[in-house]
Amino acid sequence: MRKKRFAILFAGIMTFGIGFSSYAGQWKSDETGYWYEEENGSYVMDEWRNIGGKWYYFDHNGYMMEDTWIGDYYVGEDGAMLANTLTKDGYWLDGDGIKDEKKRIYGEMVFNPTNYKKEGDRIEIVGDICDTGYMAQEEIEKLRVGDWIVLPDKKQIGRVREFTVKVPIVDVKVDRGLKTVISAPYYYQDEGDPYALPGEGYEYWLNSQSISEIGLEGTIHMGDYVYRIVKKDAMLIADSRTEFIDETAQMYGDETRPKNSLETYLQSYVGNPIAYGHSPDASKVLQISITGNHIDQAVDMFENYVG
């Protein structure tokens, strides 16, 4: 391990909103990792430093940290602090790179495209990033009948919803091997708080993998999946490296339903109320995996057409 001479130690709170400083040092590396040597021969240690317009964190030995959390911030595989993107453990980071538990992905990540622009091979897609689950399963295990939870706003139409309404838990069951909490049924009057009469309204079954809406208006019917908005109006990038899977075509076979490409999917469904059958807000979603802001895989799910 190299010796650190003239080490500069900084104390206090680092604020990312400050202007960038100019440094005339240089990157160096060995078999352990990278460090940054100042012009005077000293090394950056135990601090954040902006280098070339990106923020990096250096540990107490002076090595650049990689692919890890530093407090509420995350540095990627290249050591640079991430922002406006998803971490490997499912946190959507805001524009300042700060972690927020309310913007964590549970279950699968799905994407509701609302607009797009194609330029050559590149498609810029704006939409809402959602998840299929409600919260961490260990947190659901702590919930009991009588606890209050936040549920979708029924004034919204479609499966993609913001969760803004507080409703009590009335039952707890095991669904597909997971403890699942069941909400009191409710729906909205034209104005005022949500309410429901016995046997009417909607109830929700919630666990870490799924959110199901069950209608109770006179008779129980098959539940619809609901997707919780984690980040509105995110911009993701697709290109020739993006794998698109038309799950419905695979299930029924190409002879009964031609396969979509991602572009034809977007042309058919983004902003087209007729394609949905009733409302532009009755949203279809893509199940996605991303690296940074790049869509690596997008799946047109069978759930978009049934249930």
Side-chain angles (χ1 to χ4, degrees), residues 86-120:
L86 189 75
T87 65
K88 289 182 177 180
D89 50 353
Y91 287 92
W92 183 266
L93 302 173
D94 66 13
D96 293 323
I98 299 175
K99 177 176 72 173
D100 183 348
E101 193 65 32
K102 294 180 181 178
K103 293 185 177 181
R104 187 175 182 182
I105 302 292
Y106 296 102
E108 299 291 341
M109 178 169 56
V110 295
F111 186 55
N112 171 40
T114 56
N115 201 357
Y116 72 97
K117 177 176 66 175
K118 187 173 189 295
E119 293 183 358

mmCIF file of all heavy atoms in Angstrom, residues 86-120:
data_model
loop_
_atom_site.group_PDB
_atom_site.id
_atom_site.type_symbol
_atom_site.label_atom_id
_atom_site.label_comp_id
_atom_site.label_asym_id
_atom_site.label_seq_id
_atom_site.Cartn_x
_atom_site.Cartn_y
_atom_site.Cartn_z
ATOM 1 N N LEU A 86 -31.516 4.582 -11.525
ATOM 2 C CA LEU A 86 -31.868 3.530 -10.579
ATOM 3 C C LEU A 86 -30.614 2.838 -10.085
ATOM 4 O O LEU A 86 -29.731 2.499 -10.870
ATOM 5 C CB LEU A 86 -32.779 2.507 -11.262
ATOM 6 C CG LEU A 86 -33.424 1.454 -10.378
ATOM 7 C CD1 LEU A 86 -34.567 2.060 -9.569
ATOM 8 C CD2 LEU A 86 -33.932 0.293 -11.219
ATOM 9 N N THR A 87 -30.523 2.610 -8.776
ATOM 10 C CA THR A 87 -29.411 1.846 -8.229
ATOM 11 C C THR A 87 -29.695 0.350 -8.351
ATOM 12 O O THR A 87 -30.823 -0.067 -8.592
ATOM 13 C CB THR A 87 -29.180 2.197 -6.748
ATOM 14 O OG1 THR A 87 -30.320 1.780 -5.984
ATOM 15 C CG2 THR A 87 -28.958 3.688 -6.575
ATOM 16 N N LYS A 88 -28.671 -0.467 -8.134
ATOM 17 C CA LYS A 88 -28.833 -1.912 -8.256
ATOM 18 C C LYS A 88 -29.819 -2.473 -7.246
ATOM 19 O O LYS A 88 -30.468 -3.495 -7.502
ATOM 20 C CB LYS A 88 -27.478 -2.610 -8.082
ATOM 21 C CG LYS A 88 -26.531 -2.407 -9.245
ATOM 22 C CD LYS A 88 -25.238 -3.167 -9.029
ATOM 23 C CE LYS A 88 -24.318 -3.042 -10.219
ATOM 24 N NZ LYS A 88 -23.037 -3.784 -10.031
ATOM 25 N N ASP A 89 -29.932 -1.810 -6.078
ATOM 26 C CA ASP A 89 -30.876 -2.299 -5.073
ATOM 27 C C ASP A 89 -32.215 -1.571 -5.127
ATOM 28 O O ASP A 89 -33.005 -1.629 -4.192
ATOM 29 C CB ASP A 89 -30.272 -2.214 -3.670
ATOM 30 C CG ASP A 89 -29.667 -0.856 -3.363
ATOM 31 O OD1 ASP A 89 -29.591 -0.009 -4.258
ATOM 32 O OD2 ASP A 89 -29.267 -0.646 -2.203
ATOM 33 N N GLY A 90 -32.488 -0.891 -6.249
ATOM 34 C CA GLY A 90 -33.852 -0.465 -6.528
ATOM 35 C C GLY A 90 -34.261 0.915 -6.093
ATOM 36 O O GLY A 90 -35.456 1.217 -6.091
ATOM 37 N N TYR A 91 -33.328 1.798 -5.772
ATOM 38 C CA TYR A 91 -33.683 3.170 -5.417
ATOM 39 C C TYR A 91 -33.591 4.067 -6.646
ATOM 40 O O TYR A 91 -32.564 4.081 -7.334
ATOM 41 C CB TYR A 91 -32.750 3.724 -4.345
ATOM 42 C CG TYR A 91 -32.980 3.163 -2.969
ATOM 43 C CD1 TYR A 91 -32.282 2.051 -2.523
ATOM 44 C CD2 TYR A 91 -33.895 3.753 -2.105
ATOM 45 C CE1 TYR A 91 -32.486 1.533 -1.254
ATOM 46 C CE2 TYR A 91 -34.108 3.240 -0.834
ATOM 47 C CZ TYR A 91 -33.397 2.137 -0.418
ATOM 48 O OH TYR A 91 -33.608 1.631 0.845
ATOM 49 N N TRP A 92 -34.671 4.831 -6.899
ATOM 50 C CA TRP A 92 -34.582 5.844 -7.943
ATOM 51 C C TRP A 92 -34.018 7.110 -7.319
ATOM 52 O O TRP A 92 -34.612 7.688 -6.418
ATOM 53 C CB TRP A 92 -35.940 6.128 -8.581
ATOM 54 C CG TRP A 92 -35.797 7.126 -9.690
ATOM 55 C CD1 TRP A 92 -35.947 8.471 -9.598
ATOM 56 C CD2 TRP A 92 -35.401 6.861 -11.041
ATOM 57 N NE1 TRP A 92 -35.675 9.073 -10.812
ATOM 58 C CE2 TRP A 92 -35.338 8.103 -11.711
ATOM 59 C CE3 TRP A 92 -35.094 5.691 -11.736
ATOM 60 C CZ2 TRP A 92 -34.982 8.202 -13.060
ATOM 61 C CZ3 TRP A 92 -34.740 5.804 -13.078
ATOM 62 C CH2 TRP A 92 -34.700 7.037 -13.720
ATOM 63 N N LEU A 93 -32.862 7.550 -7.801
ATOM 64 C CA LEU A 93 -32.192 8.717 -7.251
ATOM 65 C C LEU A 93 -32.705 9.987 -7.933
ATOM 66 O O LEU A 93 -32.934 9.995 -9.142
ATOM 67 C CB LEU A 93 -30.683 8.608 -7.457
ATOM 68 C CG LEU A 93 -30.022 7.373 -6.846
ATOM 69 C CD1 LEU A 93 -28.559 7.303 -7.260
ATOM 70 C CD2 LEU A 93 -30.157 7.378 -5.324
ATOM 71 N N ASP A 94 -32.854 11.057 -7.169
ATOM 72 C CA ASP A 94 -33.343 12.301 -7.752
ATOM 73 C C ASP A 94 -32.213 13.048 -8.454
ATOM 74 O O ASP A 94 -31.099 12.538 -8.587
ATOM 75 C CB ASP A 94 -34.027 13.170 -6.695
ATOM 76 C CG ASP A 94 -33.065 13.683 -5.621
ATOM 77 O OD1 ASP A 94 -31.828 13.587 -5.814
ATOM 78 O OD2 ASP A 94 -33.555 14.183 -4.596
ATOM 79 N N GLY A 95 -32.512 14.275 -8.902
ATOM 80 C CA GLY A 95 -31.536 15.029 -9.665
ATOM 81 C C GLY A 95 -30.293 15.396 -8.889
ATOM 82 O O GLY A 95 -29.234 15.666 -9.480
ATOM 83 N N ASP A 96 -30.388 15.416 -7.557
ATOM 84 C CA ASP A 96 -29.225 15.684 -6.710
ATOM 85 C C ASP A 96 -28.543 14.397 -6.249
ATOM 86 O O ASP A 96 -27.581 14.446 -5.479
ATOM 87 C CB ASP A 96 -29.634 16.500 -5.487
ATOM 88 C CG ASP A 96 -30.082 17.904 -5.855
ATOM 89 O OD1 ASP A 96 -29.491 18.484 -6.779
ATOM 90 O OD2 ASP A 96 -31.030 18.410 -5.235
ATOM 91 N N GLY A 97 -29.060 13.257 -6.694
ATOM 92 C CA GLY A 97 -28.448 11.985 -6.340
ATOM 93 C C GLY A 97 -28.823 11.439 -4.980
ATOM 94 O O GLY A 97 -28.193 10.507 -4.499
ATOM 95 N N ILE A 98 -29.859 12.001 -4.350
ATOM 96 C CA ILE A 98 -30.206 11.620 -2.989
ATOM 97 C C ILE A 98 -31.201 10.458 -2.970
ATOM 98 O O ILE A 98 -32.172 10.438 -3.719
ATOM 99 C CB ILE A 98 -30.788 12.822 -2.223
ATOM 100 C CG1 ILE A 98 -29.743 13.948 -2.145
ATOM 101 C CG2 ILE A 98 -31.216 12.412 -0.815
ATOM 102 C CD1 ILE A 98 -30.256 15.216 -1.513
ATOM 103 N N LYS A 99 -30.971 9.501 -2.085
ATOM 104 C CA LYS A 99 -31.848 8.342 -1.913
ATOM 105 C C LYS A 99 -33.116 8.748 -1.174
ATOM 106 O O LYS A 99 -33.098 9.550 -0.247
ATOM 107 C CB LYS A 99 -31.108 7.268 -1.104
ATOM 108 C CG LYS A 99 -31.928 6.037 -0.784
ATOM 109 C CD LYS A 99 -31.099 4.986 -0.077
ATOM 110 C CE LYS A 99 -30.778 5.362 1.347
ATOM 111 N NZ LYS A 99 -30.115 4.272 2.091
ATOM 112 N N ASP A 100 -34.249 8.161 -1.591
ATOM 113 C CA ASP A 100 -35.528 8.412 -0.934
ATOM 114 C C ASP A 100 -36.266 7.080 -0.841
ATOM 115 O O ASP A 100 -36.529 6.443 -1.861
ATOM 116 C CB ASP A 100 -36.349 9.427 -1.734
ATOM 117 C CG ASP A 100 -37.673 9.792 -1.069
ATOM 118 O OD1 ASP A 100 -38.078 9.096 -0.110
ATOM 119 O OD2 ASP A 100 -38.306 10.764 -1.509
ATOM 120 N N GLU A 101 -36.585 6.645 0.382
ATOM 121 C CA GLU A 101 -37.245 5.352 0.565
ATOM 122 C C GLU A 101 -38.575 5.278 -0.179
ATOM 123 O O GLU A 101 -39.007 4.206 -0.604
ATOM 124 C CB GLU A 101 -37.463 5.089 2.056
ATOM 125 C CG GLU A 101 -37.850 3.653 2.385
ATOM 126 C CD GLU A 101 -36.755 2.641 2.078
ATOM 127 O OE1 GLU A 101 -35.561 2.989 2.195
ATOM 128 O OE2 GLU A 101 -37.096 1.498 1.722
ATOM 129 N N LYS A 102 -39.237 6.420 -0.354
ATOM 130 C CA LYS A 102 -40.518 6.444 -1.073
ATOM 131 C C LYS A 102 -40.334 6.209 -2.571
ATOM 132 O O LYS A 102 -41.321 5.993 -3.276
ATOM 133 C CB LYS A 102 -41.224 7.777 -0.842
ATOM 134 C CG LYS A 102 -41.659 7.994 0.601
ATOM 135 C CD LYS A 102 -42.350 9.341 0.758
ATOM 136 C CE LYS A 102 -42.769 9.569 2.203
ATOM 137 N NZ LYS A 102 -43.403 10.899 2.391
ATOM 138 N N LYS A 103 -39.100 6.277 -3.047
ATOM 139 C CA LYS A 103 -38.830 6.058 -4.464
ATOM 140 C C LYS A 103 -37.986 4.806 -4.666
ATOM 141 O O LYS A 103 -37.078 4.768 -5.488
ATOM 142 C CB LYS A 103 -38.135 7.279 -5.068
ATOM 143 C CG LYS A 103 -39.028 8.500 -5.120
ATOM 144 C CD LYS A 103 -38.353 9.660 -5.830
ATOM 145 C CE LYS A 103 -39.310 10.845 -5.933
ATOM 146 N NZ LYS A 103 -38.703 11.984 -6.637
ATOM 147 N N ARG A 104 -38.334 3.773 -3.913
ATOM 148 C CA ARG A 104 -37.651 2.494 -4.050
ATOM 149 C C ARG A 104 -38.563 1.530 -4.804
ATOM 150 O O ARG A 104 -39.771 1.492 -4.583
ATOM 151 C CB ARG A 104 -37.293 1.914 -2.687
ATOM 152 C CG ARG A 104 -36.428 0.672 -2.789
ATOM 153 C CD ARG A 104 -35.985 0.192 -1.428
ATOM 154 N NE ARG A 104 -35.121 -0.970 -1.551
ATOM 155 C CZ ARG A 104 -34.613 -1.635 -0.534
ATOM 156 N NH1 ARG A 104 -34.848 -1.235 0.710
ATOM 157 N NH2 ARG A 104 -33.839 -2.697 -0.724
ATOM 158 N N ILE A 105 -37.976 0.746 -5.713
ATOM 159 C CA ILE A 105 -38.725 -0.211 -6.518
ATOM 160 C C ILE A 105 -38.914 -1.504 -5.721
ATOM 161 O O ILE A 105 -37.952 -2.084 -5.221
ATOM 162 C CB ILE A 105 -37.986 -0.535 -7.829
ATOM 163 C CG1 ILE A 105 -37.725 0.731 -8.646
ATOM 164 C CG2 ILE A 105 -38.763 -1.572 -8.642
ATOM 165 C CD1 ILE A 105 -38.946 1.381 -9.222
ATOM 166 N N TYR A 106 -40.163 -1.955 -5.600
ATOM 167 C CA TYR A 106 -40.475 -3.259 -5.008
ATOM 168 C C TYR A 106 -41.115 -4.146 -6.072
ATOM 169 O O TYR A 106 -41.854 -3.666 -6.931
ATOM 170 C CB TYR A 106 -41.407 -3.101 -3.810
ATOM 171 C CG TYR A 106 -40.775 -2.334 -2.680
ATOM 172 C CD1 TYR A 106 -41.091 -0.999 -2.451
ATOM 173 C CD2 TYR A 106 -39.826 -2.939 -1.857
ATOM 174 C CE1 TYR A 106 -40.491 -0.289 -1.420
ATOM 175 C CE2 TYR A 106 -39.218 -2.233 -0.828
ATOM 176 C CZ TYR A 106 -39.557 -0.916 -0.613
ATOM 177 O OH TYR A 106 -38.951 -0.207 0.389
ATOM 178 N N GLY A 107 -40.849 -5.438 -6.000
ATOM 179 C CA GLY A 107 -41.329 -6.331 -7.041
ATOM 180 C C GLY A 107 -40.590 -6.049 -8.336
ATOM 181 O O GLY A 107 -39.383 -5.829 -8.356
ATOM 182 N N GLU A 108 -41.327 -6.028 -9.444
ATOM 183 C CA GLU A 108 -40.735 -5.757 -10.752
ATOM 184 C C GLU A 108 -40.853 -4.269 -11.081
ATOM 185 O O GLU A 108 -41.776 -3.590 -10.641
ATOM 186 C CB GLU A 108 -41.451 -6.570 -11.837
ATOM 187 C CG GLU A 108 -41.374 -8.073 -11.656
ATOM 188 C CD GLU A 108 -39.978 -8.621 -11.872
ATOM 189 O OE1 GLU A 108 -39.151 -7.921 -12.498
ATOM 190 O OE2 GLU A 108 -39.720 -9.750 -11.423
ATOM 191 N N MET A 109 -39.915 -3.773 -11.866
ATOM 192 C CA MET A 109 -39.988 -2.397 -12.344
ATOM 193 C C MET A 109 -40.746 -2.373 -13.669
ATOM 194 O O MET A 109 -40.446 -3.139 -14.595
ATOM 195 C CB MET A 109 -38.594 -1.810 -12.537
ATOM 196 C CG MET A 109 -38.602 -0.394 -13.081
ATOM 197 S SD MET A 109 -36.973 0.412 -13.004
ATOM 198 C CE MET A 109 -35.968 -0.745 -13.910
ATOM 199 N N VAL A 110 -41.747 -1.500 -13.751
ATOM 200 C CA VAL A 110 -42.501 -1.349 -14.990
ATOM 201 C C VAL A 110 -42.501 0.125 -15.382
ATOM 202 O O VAL A 110 -42.288 1.019 -14.558
ATOM 203 C CB VAL A 110 -43.949 -1.883 -14.860
ATOM 204 C CG1 VAL A 110 -43.944 -3.379 -14.617
ATOM 205 C CG2 VAL A 110 -44.711 -1.162 -13.762
ATOM 206 N N PHE A 111 -42.758 0.370 -16.654
ATOM 207 C CA PHE A 111 -42.632 1.712 -17.232
ATOM 208 C C PHE A 111 -43.869 1.998 -18.058
ATOM 209 O O PHE A 111 -44.260 1.207 -18.910
ATOM 210 C CB PHE A 111 -41.371 1.760 -18.095
ATOM 211 C CG PHE A 111 -41.036 3.119 -18.648
ATOM 212 C CD1 PHE A 111 -40.889 4.214 -17.813
ATOM 213 C CD2 PHE A 111 -40.841 3.289 -20.003
ATOM 214 C CE1 PHE A 111 -40.558 5.462 -18.323
ATOM 215 C CE2 PHE A 111 -40.507 4.526 -20.530
ATOM 216 C CZ PHE A 111 -40.363 5.623 -19.686
ATOM 217 N N ASN A 112 -44.490 3.145 -17.795
ATOM 218 C CA ASN A 112 -45.676 3.583 -18.519
ATOM 219 C C ASN A 112 -45.272 4.709 -19.471
ATOM 220 O O ASN A 112 -45.170 5.868 -19.065
ATOM 221 C CB ASN A 112 -46.736 4.075 -17.521
ATOM 222 C CG ASN A 112 -47.907 4.741 -18.214
ATOM 223 O OD1 ASN A 112 -48.358 4.291 -19.248
ATOM 224 N ND2 ASN A 112 -48.392 5.825 -17.625
ATOM 225 N N PRO A 113 -45.012 4.401 -20.762
ATOM 226 C CA PRO A 113 -44.578 5.450 -21.684
ATOM 227 C C PRO A 113 -45.712 6.438 -21.962
ATOM 228 O O PRO A 113 -46.848 6.038 -22.225
ATOM 229 C CB PRO A 113 -44.211 4.677 -22.955
ATOM 230 C CG PRO A 113 -44.112 3.245 -22.543
ATOM 231 C CD PRO A 113 -45.056 3.078 -21.404
ATOM 232 N N THR A 114 -45.388 7.726 -21.906
ATOM 233 C CA THR A 114 -46.386 8.758 -22.191
ATOM 234 C C THR A 114 -46.025 9.594 -23.403
ATOM 235 O O THR A 114 -46.888 10.276 -23.973
ATOM 236 C CB THR A 114 -46.569 9.685 -20.981
ATOM 237 O OG1 THR A 114 -45.295 10.251 -20.616
ATOM 238 C CG2 THR A 114 -47.129 8.911 -19.793
ATOM 239 N N ASN A 115 -44.773 9.555 -23.815
ATOM 240 C CA ASN A 115 -44.337 10.305 -24.996
ATOM 241 C C ASN A 115 -43.006 9.731 -25.457
ATOM 242 O O ASN A 115 -42.282 9.114 -24.675
ATOM 243 C CB ASN A 115 -44.195 11.796 -24.660
ATOM 244 C CG ASN A 115 -44.246 12.674 -25.909
ATOM 245 O OD1 ASN A 115 -44.328 12.179 -27.038
ATOM 246 N ND2 ASN A 115 -44.176 13.979 -25.709
ATOM 247 N N TYR A 116 -42.683 9.921 -26.733
ATOM 248 C CA TYR A 116 -41.390 9.443 -27.210
ATOM 249 C C TYR A 116 -40.965 10.219 -28.447
ATOM 250 O O TYR A 116 -41.775 10.850 -29.124
ATOM 251 C CB TYR A 116 -41.437 7.937 -27.521
ATOM 252 C CG TYR A 116 -42.210 7.565 -28.760
ATOM 253 C CD1 TYR A 116 -41.561 7.340 -29.973
ATOM 254 C CD2 TYR A 116 -43.599 7.430 -28.723
ATOM 255 C CE1 TYR A 116 -42.272 7.000 -31.114
ATOM 256 C CE2 TYR A 116 -44.314 7.085 -29.844
ATOM 257 C CZ TYR A 116 -43.658 6.875 -31.046
ATOM 258 O OH TYR A 116 -44.354 6.546 -32.175
ATOM 259 N N LYS A 117 -39.652 10.158 -28.707
ATOM 260 C CA LYS A 117 -39.073 10.809 -29.883
ATOM 261 C C LYS A 117 -37.982 9.903 -30.427
ATOM 262 O O LYS A 117 -37.118 9.437 -29.677
ATOM 263 C CB LYS A 117 -38.501 12.177 -29.502
ATOM 264 C CG LYS A 117 -37.815 12.906 -30.649
ATOM 265 C CD LYS A 117 -37.359 14.304 -30.216
ATOM 266 C CE LYS A 117 -36.267 14.238 -29.174
ATOM 267 N NZ LYS A 117 -35.727 15.577 -28.834
ATOM 268 N N LYS A 118 -38.009 9.659 -31.744
ATOM 269 C CA LYS A 118 -37.026 8.773 -32.367
ATOM 270 C C LYS A 118 -36.088 9.593 -33.244
ATOM 271 O O LYS A 118 -36.531 10.398 -34.056
ATOM 272 C CB LYS A 118 -37.721 7.701 -33.200
ATOM 273 C CG LYS A 118 -36.775 6.621 -33.743
ATOM 274 C CD LYS A 118 -37.547 5.508 -34.414
ATOM 275 C CE LYS A 118 -36.623 4.330 -34.743
ATOM 276 N NZ LYS A 118 -35.597 4.659 -35.736
ATOM 277 N N GLU A 119 -34.810 9.378 -33.037
ATOM 278 C CA GLU A 119 -33.791 10.013 -33.858
ATOM 279 C C GLU A 119 -32.774 8.959 -34.245
ATOM 280 O O GLU A 119 -31.943 8.556 -33.435
ATOM 281 C CB GLU A 119 -33.105 11.163 -33.104
ATOM 282 C CG GLU A 119 -34.026 12.338 -32.820
ATOM 283 C CD GLU A 119 -33.295 13.478 -32.136
ATOM 284 O OE1 GLU A 119 -32.084 13.321 -31.851
ATOM 285 O OE2 GLU A 119 -33.933 14.517 -31.872
ATOM 286 N N GLY A 120 -32.863 8.504 -35.500
ATOM 287 C CA GLY A 120 -31.984 7.435 -35.949
ATOM 288 C C GLY A 120 -32.252 6.164 -35.168
ATOM 289 O O GLY A 120 -33.384 5.692 -35.068
#
